[in-house]
Amino acid sequence: MANKAQNGSKLIYYPSEDVIKNAHVQEYDQLYAQSIQDREKFWAEQAENIDWFKPYDKVLDDSAKPFYKWFTGGKINIVHNAIDRHLTTGKRNQLAMIWEGEPGDVRTLSYHALNREVCKFANVLKSMGVKKGDIVTIYMPQILELPIAMLACVKIGAAHSVVYGGFSSDALINRIEDAKSKLIITADGGYRRGKTTQLKEIVNEAIRQCPTIEVCLCVKRTGEEVYMENGRDYWLHDLINLPNASPKCETVEMDSEDSLFILYTSGTTGKPKGVVHTHGGYTVYTSTTHRMVFDVKDYDRWWCAADPGWITGHSYIVYAPLINGSTIMLYEGAPNHPYPNRWWQMVEKYGITILYTSPTAIRGLMRYGETWPQRHDISSLRLLGSVGEPINPEAWRWYHEVIGNGKCPIMDTWWQTETGGFMITPLPITTLKPGSATKPFFGNEMAVVDKEGNAVGPGEEGRLVIKAPWPGMARTILKDPDRYVETYWKEYEKQGWYNAGDSARIDEDGDFWIIGRIDDVIKVSGYRLGTAEIESALVSHADVSEAAAIALPHDLKGNAIYTYAILRQGCEGSRELEKEIKEHVAKEIGPIAKPEKVTFTDSLPKTRSGKIMRRVLKARALGLDEGDLSTLEE
Ligand code: PRX
């Protein structure tokens, strides 16, 4: 990335010859054209990098659109590809994971040791009655037992449903109830900004309302006193040292289309959607995108600084890097604890070569200035990545110049929980423009269209659609296939396109620029929340009768949540009440959902059919034109 050029007001970064010479993929246009011409051939070639217990019969089965199936007839297990197959090669003794706790404790696992831990954990799960087809809920801090637990479930044929450790007990209850989990895995707590989080307490509260839970496995992390119910709650360290938790455990053969995991994400209604991913397509898709986009090499130390509890963590902390035999870095705590050099200190200490994070994290660290990273030798970095929200050019340049020393290309990857892996992304050889995710990945046909499905002109804003299936796509929404069709496939039913819910532009060079969500989803610090979830948390406060939530731009978080509340008769708006309502929302959903502001109002702009016009609220808050008000109720 040595060369930059000015094109009008836009900066363009060209890859250096060094980067091009060493990249796995040295050319995009031709390979992309071929991958579109014969998509199945492209994916069949990629599937050769994967071990199948039994070869698949068909690459793509599109007989029941939009319920596409991939690699049908194949027998596979992602854990066999992520761990078992490395044990017979030189990888066996290579580091699979380096983990650092916030207090500074360090643990490392070779592939051999990871296998042992996963086998022992899997045998504990078996002894507790977990079977193929079960869904195990996992609610944990960022400790090594989190990926180990995920892999252990999948090894024996169960699917996991990981609930982000920052969510409240109510969010946990909803997800356990939907998945009907019998077993939950948690920890006493974890460390965050020098304090401990009380996870087990939240789990205890949740289990009280979740009759399906029979067993709770608890990992000891903080050592703080927690309530353990006799006959229901077990310490992992007690069970894992029993003779039946042997270090050997068979990896169960799964069908390509068997469920691998459920991951809940926000949508337009209050009820989170259980997005379902399956073994075959996800294994091929995530490992291919990771290998090609981040150009992974044997010597790389890969750090995806997300929480394993989100899709980024599932695909690119746990599964893809292990399949590709990388050494993975995991860190438990906050980037600025105890000082804002914490990340850079770890990059130096462990010789991290690739860092993949979110614009929010970059902006957060940028505000402390460049002297913090400059205290450390971070020259081991050779590639950088960004995900979760559009990256503003200022943050891009800081990341590129201060962290990447002007030499590391930035892979701005656009994708979603539902897509499983990167959809629009540069490759190391791509010409980059700060703020653009550039071009579709191989095999992906994407477009920006109007409401009717006509392509909009260069530079014009429209809706982002995916025109053809890809192996990493979500297969359905758990127990709600109609909602799957309705949410993603209804809008462009005639054309058979997937509606991403984002607005975007394509410039004259064919580069994609993502603008943001057009549906009722809010991205706060890269986290995805639904306005409906926030509104229902607001009205669950005793004084609130009606509420609306919108997103407004925020320097650090990308977006912040602004809310409007109509109070019940007899209630008075006050600063104290505002504070109380904010805390209430944080308690109902989790601290990430805490509103920036609660405005008390007597009325909300609504359509005649009673739908809140959030667009009008937003325009008013920003002092912009309110647009077409013909449907506004008098
Ligand atoms: O709006 C887009 C934004 O994140 C949404 C997906 O959120 P989630 O399912 O939580 O997955 C996040 C991690 C993959 C998208 O609809 N988004 C994701 N990546 C980018 C992005 N917006 C702009 N640029 C990106 N690179």
Side-chain angles (χ1 to χ4, degrees):
M1 290 285 105
N3 316 318
K4 54 183 163 181
Q6 203 88 24
N7 168 13
S9 61
K10 284 204 179 71
L11 272 176
I12 298 184
Y13 290 77
Y14 297 100
S16 69
E17 276 176 21
D18 224 33
V19 167
I20 299 177
K21 196 172 74 209
N22 293 315
H24 282 314
V25 183
Q26 305 212 331
E27 189 278 335
Y28 172 81
D29 291 343
Q30 209 183 338
L31 190 53
Y32 177 73
Q34 285 167 358
S35 74
I36 295 301
Q37 243 165 35
D38 196 343
R39 187 169 292 109
E40 292 181 38
K41 178 164 170 265
F42 175 81
W43 287 115
E45 279 165 14
Q46 305 314 316
E48 282 175 23
N49 295 313
I50 293 305
D51 274 12
W52 302 85
F53 295 128
K54 177 180 165 277
Y56 57 86
D57 308 316
K58 217 168 174 245
V59 178
L60 173 65
D61 174 355
D62 59 1
S63 57
K65 289 175 193 167
F67 296 96
Y68 294 94
K69 291 182 178 152
W70 287 84
F71 306 111
T72 49
K75 296 278 184 196
I76 186 175
N77 189 314
I78 198 167
V79 173
H80 172 84
N81 282 283
I83 303 177
D84 308 5
R85 65 170 177 165
H86 300 316
L87 302 176
T88 52
T89 72
K91 283 252 178 280
R92 182 186 187 95
N93 294 323
Q94 186 186 310
L95 282 185
M97 292 180 179
I98 303 171
W99 172 87
E100 188 168 306
E102 199 186 72
D105 41 341
V106 177
R107 280 173 73 191
T108 56
L109 292 173
S110 64
Y111 274 88
H112 168 80
L114 175 63
N115 179 56
R116 182 189 62 223
E117 296 306 310
V118 169
C119 286
K120 284 165 77 87
F121 206 125
N123 282 323
V124 168
L125 293 175
K126 273 198 204 168
S127 73
M128 289 288 145
V130 175
K131 298 181 307 299
K132 185 171 177 175
D134 286 353
I135 304 174
V136 173
T137 297
I138 301 179
Y139 181 72
M140 286 179 109
Q142 291 194 54
I143 54 177
L144 273 184
E145 284 79 3
L146 170 49
I148 292 170
M150 292 163 73
L151 293 157
C153 291
V154 173
K155 188 175 178 72
I156 59 172
H160 51 72
S161 160
V162 181
V163 180
Y164 168 59
F167 275 139
S168 69
S169 63
D170 281 343
L172 184 57
I173 291 165
N174 287 334
R175 288 155 173 81
I176 296 174
E177 273 180 350
D178 191 65
K180 303 259 175 301
S181 288
K182 288 194 272 232
L183 189 140
I184 180 166
I185 306 169
T186 189
D188 49 0
Y191 292 92
R192 188 84 191 169
R193 289 210 170 78
K195 297 202 188 96
T196 54
T197 52
Q198 273 69 43
L199 265 69
K200 181 66 167 72
E201 243 173 54
I202 295 172
V203 169
N204 287 342
E205 221 176 298
I207 300 182
R208 243 173 264 139
Q209 293 184 54
C210 295
T212 57
I213 295 285
E214 292 164 9
V215 175
C216 170
L217 283 182
C218 190
V219 177
K220 188 167 260 181
R221 167 70 184 133
T222 61
E224 285 178 356
E225 183 114 3
V226 292
Y227 172 74
M228 298 283 283
E229 178 137 327
N230 233 337
R232 182 196 75 189
D233 299 351
Y234 300 86
W235 287 108
L236 181 76
H237 59 261
D238 286 338
L239 303 181
I240 212 136
N241 292 318
L242 295 176
N244 59 358
S246 109
K248 287 208 165 59
C249 176
E250 198 194 338
T251 302
V252 170
E253 270 190 24
M254 305 295 283
D255 279 327
S256 278
E257 285 295 328
D258 277 340
S259 295
L260 165 60
F261 64 80
I262 318 299
L263 190 54
Y264 287 88
T265 190
S266 300
T268 41
T269 72
K271 194 172 168 279
K273 300 179 283 204
V275 171
V276 180
H277 283 286
T278 58
H279 275 258
Y282 182 86
T283 301
V284 175
Y285 195 78
T286 55
S287 59
T288 306
T289 46
H290 179 245
R291 189 179 66 251
M292 292 187 172
V293 173
F294 282 98
D295 195 33
V296 284
K297 306 272 172 36
D298 249 12
Y299 54 77
D300 274 318
R301 294 225 159 153
W302 163 259
W303 187 8
C304 166
D307 190 296
W310 300 100
I311 190 69
T312 311
H314 280 50
S315 300
Y316 298 108
I317 295 178
V318 184
Y319 291 113
L322 290 177
I323 298 168
N324 289 329
S326 311
T327 298
I328 298 151
M329 172 74 203
L330 278 153
Y331 165 59
E332 178 186 32
N336 56 354
H337 188 83
Y339 301 106
N341 63 332
R342 184 64 188 265
W343 273 20
W344 319 124
Q345 195 177 39
M346 289 188 287
V347 169
E348 178 175 27
K349 181 170 170 193
Y350 301 110
I352 302 299
T353 57
I354 312 176
L355 176 66
Y356 181 45
T357 185
S358 66
T360 291
I362 300 160
R363 288 191 293 262
L365 291 166
M366 184 171 116
R367 103 192 125 125
Y368 296 109
E370 48 191 72
T371 49
W372 290 101
Q374 279 167 356
R375 281 181 176 198
H376 299 277
D377 177 2
I378 53 173
S379 60
S380 55
L381 289 170
R382 66 178 193 92
L383 274 172
L384 300 171
S386 173
V387 59
E389 50 184 316
I391 179 164
N392 47 311
E394 201 192 343
W396 196 103
R397 281 197 288 273
W398 189 82
Y399 197 26
H400 187 251
E401 268 141 46
V402 179
I403 305 308
N405 194 23
K407 70 175 169 69
C408 306
I410 298 176
M411 303 297 103
D412 179 357
T413 58
W414 178 89
W415 58 296
Q416 307 178 305
T417 306
E418 294 87 342
T419 70
F422 313 147
M423 297 301 289
I424 307 177
T425 172
L427 298 168
I429 56 158
T430 305
T431 299
L432 303 173
K433 299 172 188 163
S436 168
T438 72
K439 302 262 176 11
F441 186 72
F442 302 118
N444 292 335
E445 248 176 295
M446 325 252 328
V448 174
V449 300
D450 64 17
K451 224 172 161 4
E452 285 71 46
N454 309 304
V456 300
E460 276 176 43
E461 184 173 341
R463 296 147 181 250
L464 183 65
V465 295
I466 309 174
K467 290 173 141 184
W470 65 102
M473 66 202 300
R475 298 303 192 261
T476 188
I477 291 173
L478 187 69
K479 299 189 183 101
D480 207 347
D482 292 347
R483 194 171 171 200
Y484 175 70
V485 177
E486 179 72 32
T487 311
Y488 308 107
W489 304 94
K490 197 83 192 170
E491 187 81 25
Y492 297 104
E493 191 179 10
K494 211 168 71 215
Q495 297 90 339
W497 297 341
Y498 171 96
N499 177 20
D502 276 14
S503 65
R505 291 184 288 118
I506 304 178
D507 68 17
E508 24 339 294
D509 303 323
D511 284 319
F512 285 69
W513 298 76
I514 308 299
I515 298 163
R517 299 290 308 188
I518 22 183
D519 53 10
D520 298 328
V521 169
I522 299 184
K523 293 289 281 193
V524 183
S525 302
Y527 295 118
R528 179 164 158 182
L529 293 160
T531 49
E533 282 170 88
I534 303 164
E535 287 160 7
S536 83
L538 284 163
V539 295
S540 73
H541 185 282
D543 292 356
V544 180
S545 73
E546 269 189 83
I550 58 166
L552 293 179
H554 187 276
D555 280 351
L556 217 59
K557 302 176 183 174
N559 291 297
I561 302 166
Y562 283 74
T563 61
Y564 298 83
I566 302 180
L567 294 178
R568 286 188 195 284
Q569 241 175 3
C571 299
E572 278 270 342
S574 66
R575 272 182 171 272
E576 288 69 46
L577 184 60
E578 180 183 3
K579 193 159 172 263
E580 193 184 306
I581 294 173
K582 283 185 188 173
E583 292 301 334
H584 176 77
V585 176
K587 193 184 161 296
E588 288 288 302
I589 304 175
I592 50 171
K594 190 172 170 176
E596 205 72 12
K597 193 166 188 271
V598 185
T599 304
F600 299 110
T601 175
D602 295 330
S603 67
L604 289 166
K606 283 188 194 155
T607 61
R608 285 191 198 96
S609 57
K611 264 179 94 174
I612 296 169
M613 294 179 83
R614 297 190 188 85
R615 156 179 84 74
V616 174
L617 283 171
K618 198 165 170 167
R620 281 181 193 164
L622 295 170
L624 300 172
D625 178 21
E626 292 177 13
D628 178 9
L629 295 180
S630 56
T631 57
L632 188 70
E633 189 186 36
E634 284 302 307

